[in-house]
Structures are given as C-alpha cells and as structure tokens.
Amino acid sequence: MKNKFSNLDRHHMVNTLKETPFDLVVIGGGITGAGILLDAASRGMKVALIEKNDFASGTSSKSTKLIHGGLRYLKQFDFWLVKEVGSERAIVHKLAPHLVIPEKMLLPLIENGSYGKWLTSIGLKVYDILAQVEGDDQRKMLEKKEAIKLEPLLPKKILKGAGFYAEYRTDDARLTTENIKTALQFGGMAINYTRVTNFLYDNKAVSGLEVKDEVTGISYEIQSKYVVSAAGPWVDKLREVNHSKKGKRLHLTKGVHLVFPYEKIPVQQSVYFDVPDGRMIFAIPRGKITYVGTTDTNYDDDKDHVQVDLADAIYLISAVNNMFPDIQLEMKDIISSWAGLRPLIHEEGKSASELSRKDEIFTSDTGLISIAGGKLTGYRKMAERVVNRIAKKLEEDHAKNTKKCFTDTIPLCGNEGFQKYKEVKQYISQVYDILKPDGFEMYDAWFLVSTYGKQTEDIIAIYRTLPGDHPQERMIRAEYHFGVIYEMIRYPMDFFIRRTGRLYFDIEGMRTFLEPVLQEHKIIFQENEETIQQYRDQLKSDLEIHSDFSFDRI
C-alpha cells in the first residue's frame, strides 16, 4: 500500500511534528539525510526529517549521477573508500535496479595520459577485487583497434588502448525521493520547505528545533531526544547556530556539468577521459542527451545559487574537443547545465581535487551530531554509521533497544519485484506495448520506468482518468498528479528538476509542457493567476540560466 505524501496535507503534517516527541530529527533532505531517515525508521525509531527547500535541492540533484566505485581514489591509495563504495554499488543496484542502472565505462589510454597501460590493468584488477566485481562486469583491457571499434570517436593518433569496466548510473534526486518515501512505510516523517531557525536546549543539551514553515510563514517547535545535521554545504552554518563550529570545517568545491543533444556527442557508452591539466572527465549518454563533467574548483560564494559560468563551460567544451577531435563542440551546442557543491572536509595545503571524499561525523558539546563529506555511492553506509551512534545513545540514555541496520535488504519504492536489470528492460517493453496504441514511443516507456519503476502503473492509471486529446500532455499531467499525491511536490520546479529531471535531460519537453503543468498546479493548489505568473517567470528564468550561454546573456 503506497503512503500518501502530499503538501495538500501540510497542515496535518505540521500539527503532527508539533505534537510528537521524536527520538531523532534529521536536518537536510539530501541523500544522506534520506538514508538516515530510512535507517532510523526501519530500526523502530520515531524519526522526522526536515528540509529548508525541496528534497534533493542541494548537492543531491547536482552530482555526476553515478553510483560508482571510485576508481580515481586508487591513485590516492584510498583503498578503504574504494572497497566500501565499490561494495555498496551492488547493494544499491539490488535495492532499485530500475533507478541504478549498469553502465559500461571506457577509459581511453592516450600518449602522456594520466593512466598507463600496465598501471591501468593492475589498477582495474585491484578495483574489481576491492569492489567485489563479478562475471561480465569485470574489467577488460582493450587494444587500440578494439577500443576504436567500441568508440569510433576516440582520437586515433594518440590512442594506445583502453580499459573497459562497469559502473552504475542513477538519478540522484530520484534516489533521494525513493529513500524518503520508503521510510514512510516504517513510520518515518518528512517535510520540505521547513527551515531551522534555532535549536532547543534542555540542560545545555540539544532537545529539538525551532523551525519556520516557508510555505505558510508560521514558526513552531519540534521536540526530539537527538538531532542530526546532514545539511551538506550548510553543515557549518548550523554548527554556527549551535555555537559549535570548531576544529575541522567544510571545504566547498564546485562541480559543473554540461548537457548536449546526443547527436552532438554520440558516444556508444560512457567514457572517462583525460584532460590536459590532469583531471578526468565523464561523457555519459542518457536517453536524448549526453552530459559531460565535472569540474572541481574551490567555492565560497552563495550556496543557494550555484551556477555554471563562462569559464566552466569553456573548460568542459575544450576538454571534450581535445578527446574527441571530430566533434568540435561550440557554446551554442549546450542545451542545459547544472552546478553543485561538494561538502568536503578541509585539509590544510591540499587542493580541491586532492581532498578526501571520506565522510566524517562531528558531535558538539550540546549533543548535535553533524555528518559531512562522503560520496553519493556510500550514502547507505554513512547513514548506518550515524544511526548506530543514535541507537547506542538511545540504549544508554533511555533504555530503548533498536534493531540492527538492515537497509541493505529493503527494496526502495518503485522496485516491486525487480531482481535484476533484465527484468526492468522486460517491464519497459510491457509498458511500451500498453502505451504504443496512444502514439507513445519506446523512449516514453523507458523514461517512465527508469524514473518511477513499477509506480509507472499508478501514473498510467491516473492518465486514463484525465480528460484531453493530447496523450503526451495528459501523461505529464498524470505525472504531476502522482508527484503531488505521493512525492510532496509543492512548486512546479520541484517537478521539472527533482522529480523528473526534465530541466536537464529533456529541456524541450519542459518548454513544451510548462503551461499544462502550471494550469494543473493552479487547479490542484487553488492558486490565483498572479501566483501562477510568478511561477511562470521563475521557470523561464531557470530555463535561461541553465541553457543560455550566449555572450549577450553572459
């Protein structure tokens, strides 16, 4: 039975948050906070999560969107990190095979490149062992001719061969949302657009939060035995509010991605390639598009408005043109983009790229627990480490026993019965057979299943009830209804970015169906035309910011 999870019930949710004494409140609705919510709820804790904007609106919708084993960390001899995230890939794929998809990765070996043939072969073998890679996913070393056959776009003059290995691609924001929705099945609570304004204290120990509802403007208190801050780039800001920012601190770096039509970068599989300055860049095909990234530069500007600037775009385009000389991308070829922040742990004297991706947990004198750093791939283990601490405190301070972590066996929402990706592909074909008579294409079936999994059936059921002569328009309205009822959508941009990724992966679809979604929103939330116009202006502004790299705008 699917849990209703809707901003239409916001008044009731706020009352429950006010009246419930929680074991744990989690600040931050990114992947780390979502993982903590699910872990704690599934162990039997009374737990709530609050997010100041929309779920996954920070780092967790702006990563490279890979559940990967951290090959590059072998160069830093960070074997522990490679082993942990490598092992976690297989677990997360099992939990949501529709959302965490096998992706072959090609690593070209070029003259004077970062990776030599012998060291690459050894490195990938070590990678396979540490990450427990089996069967066809194990690494292969390719000769030059084999590499070119797999990827004709590679530079023949400087190519010496390639490594061929396995990774997994995901939608980070969807993964976050499904973790939160799954936690609801265990009694967890979550609410977006709720900002922390202060901490509550009892005998100098944190005992809850003062928060402000950003939708209604109302402030209220939430009582809790323990509070965990998983606020990503905002962790230090909350430590300041708690007067506990001392010792280690965050070091924020910016990562940028550009999106191109697939026809402009028609790579046959993902490619992980050298840049002349020593960095490595991904080119990843996804449906109608190929995206490239990422950068790794220090950042100390506005954390709430991180944008791709001209220098970022030139850098990535130059990198692609250097590796694929027959393509010759230009600025006008960019159709979308995104930029996000990595909340790393500062280490004196180290550059952005040299900083460790390990997570760390800080506990203040008042009992506030903060977690920062880490990788998308390792979110489940990060959550386990945090919740282990809470479980120990609950036992010691309140004689409350909880279960051990078992999130490695809990299928995420959308995975009702999938065991392997081949079953997902079969289901895509079944959905296509259902939709084909209405004029839909295979891409539409692939999009629905890779976004919602088995929840596609709920969306199709809504689609069948909606009036209208345009099937594509009815389907996107059905998606919106589903998101409002079951995924806590409050504003249209929640839908276009975090719930569907259309701003990045189908920007023309967003432009085409912007008005039908606005009108659906107007009806559902009973908002006036003046408010809808504000949303329209914001959506058009966001479209321009993410896609217009003309010199006139910049």
Side-chain angles (χ1 to χ4, degrees), residues 264-333:
K264 288 291 181 181
I265 314 181
V267 287
Q268 303 302 302
Q269 64 277 301
S270 293
V271 183
Y272 184 40
F273 59 92
D274 279 89
V275 178
D277 68 2
R279 276 194 57 75
M280 300 290 291
I281 299 291
F282 291 100
I284 302 173
R286 185 190 187 106
K288 299 176 180 179
I289 60 95
T290 299
Y291 64 95
V292 299
T294 179
T295 58
D296 200 5
T297 54
N298 294 325
Y299 188 86
D300 57 4
D301 207 344
D302 184 353
K303 293 188 283 291
D304 290 297
H305 299 91
V306 187
Q307 295 183 16
V308 180
D309 59 34
L310 184 59
D312 298 322
I314 290 172
Y315 175 85
L316 287 176
I317 285 179
S318 299
V320 174
N321 288 340
N322 181 71
M323 178 51 62
F324 306 114
D326 294 337
I327 291 179
Q328 291 308 304
L329 292 175
E330 300 178 33
M331 298 290 283
K332 64 182 181 181
D333 296 323

Side-chain angles (χ1 to χ4, degrees), residues 29-31 34 54-63 65 99 170-180 286 376 451 487 494 497-501 504-505:
I31 189 61
D54 186 28
F55 305 124
S57 56
T59 301
S60 295
S61 59
K62 302 180 181 75
S63 72
K65 305 179 190 296
L99 198 53
T170 193
D171 181 325
D172 45 7
R174 288 298 316 174
L175 189 64
T176 301
T177 299
E178 301 300 10
N179 267 275
I180 292 172
R286 185 190 187 106
L376 171 65
T451 304
E487 297 191 343
D494 302 340
I497 298 185
R498 270 82 60 179
R499 304 304 183 276
T500 68
Y504 306 143
F505 305 127

Side-chain angles (χ1 to χ4, degrees), residues 288 428 431-432 435-436 438-452 456 459-460 471-473 475-476 479 502 506 513:
K288 299 176 180 179
I428 292 171
V431 170
Y432 176 55
L435 297 180
K436 187 177 180 181
D438 286 3
F440 289 95
E441 299 177 356
M442 181 62 82
Y443 171 83
D444 299 304
W446 169 84
F447 168 80
L448 286 169
V449 176
S450 63
T451 304
Y452 303 102
T456 296
I459 293 167
I460 293 174
Q472 291 275 2
E473 182 181 302
M475 187 62 78
I476 201 167
E479 284 184 68
R502 278 188 172 88
D506 184 16
F513 297 112

Side-chain angles (χ1 to χ4, degrees), residues 4 50 68 75 135 237 243 264 299 313 472 497 505 515:
K4 194 175 179 185
I50 63 169
H68 66 97
K75 292 179 71 176
K237 184 174 182 180
H243 307 292
K264 288 291 181 181
Y299 188 86
Q472 291 275 2
I497 298 185
F505 305 127
E515 284 302 325

Side-chain angles (χ1 to χ4, degrees), residues 5 50 69-70 76 84 91 116 184 194 196 239 285 302 308 353 360 363 406 442 537:
F5 185 38
I50 63 169
Q76 301 171 353
E84 177 169 288
I91 293 172
L184 304 184
T194 301
V196 174
R239 292 168 77 199
D302 184 353
V308 180
S353 296
E360 292 206 30
T363 303
F406 64 103
M442 181 62 82
D537 292 341

